[in-house]
Amino acid sequence: AETLASVQQEIGALYLDPKIDKPDQAVPYLLGALNYWGGKAGGGVVNVNTLQDLCMRAYLRSKQYKEAVQFAAGQIQKNPQNTDAMGGAILQEVNRLNRANQLQPALDLLTEAKTLPIKGFYQDQFMELVKDIQGRIVPMLWIYDWWMVVDA
């Protein structure tokens, strides 16, 4: 079983490799490995932490935001010390999307993230980013509407 979990982790990590870039296909393998290591007594904290980070990356990169937030909530519920890892992964992905000018996906992720059972820094950051991104989307819609009128 340990060998299977190791192989699942390797396959999941390969699907996340930028050369392959199939994060949606990584999820089931990573979850299988996480279930094994997470259920094992003294189940390798390093393995569990690494796998939960890889699972979050797979969910987020495949734009499965609802599932990512549900996963994060479950990990936080299991261990409140996971708050920084889960909140940080979401914040990092929102910032990546924001820098890439993928504003709607960033907003979609933030909308889901508001349901996370966390307070303080991460919720404050999420709320601040929502305001910032919404402020950037509205002018873009106005320019688009204006352009459509001029172009007609």
Side-chain angles (χ1 to χ4, degrees), residues 79-124:
N79 183 352
Q81 290 181 339
N82 289 328
T83 300
D84 283 337
M86 299 294 101
I90 291 169
L91 192 56
Q92 184 178 10
E93 181 65 5
V94 168
N95 286 328
R96 185 190 73 78
L97 292 166
N98 200 3
R99 282 190 307 275
N101 211 28
Q102 295 180 22
L103 302 181
Q104 192 58 57
L107 202 54
D108 293 344
L109 176 52
L110 286 167
T111 300
E112 291 296 335
K114 288 192 289 187
T115 66
L116 268 179
I118 57 176
K119 306 255 185 280
F121 175 76
Y122 290 107
Q123 279 298 342
D124 293 345

Side-chain angles (χ1 to χ4, degrees), residues 10-95:
E10 285 296 316
I11 292 171
L14 284 171
Y15 277 127
L16 285 175
D17 186 297
K19 293 175 189 146
I20 297 173
D21 194 30
K22 295 188 179 198
D24 55 319
Q25 293 183 27
V27 171
Y29 292 103
L30 295 170
L31 288 176
L34 181 61
N35 287 337
Y36 172 78
W37 290 112
K40 189 173 180 176
V45 173
V46 173
N47 281 339
V48 171
N49 290 342
T50 299
L51 282 161
Q52 78 178 8
D53 292 346
L54 289 171
C55 286
M56 276 302 286
R57 189 173 350 144
Y59 278 128
L60 293 170
R61 287 298 172 105
S62 60
K63 299 190 182 333
Q64 297 180 56
Y65 301 140
K66 184 175 186 136
E67 293 84 352
V69 170
Q70 288 171 347
F71 175 80
Q75 296 305 110
I76 292 167
Q77 187 176 15
K78 286 179 191 173
N79 183 352
Q81 290 181 339
N82 289 328
T83 300
D84 283 337
M86 299 294 101
I90 291 169
L91 192 56
Q92 184 178 10
E93 181 65 5
V94 168
N95 286 328

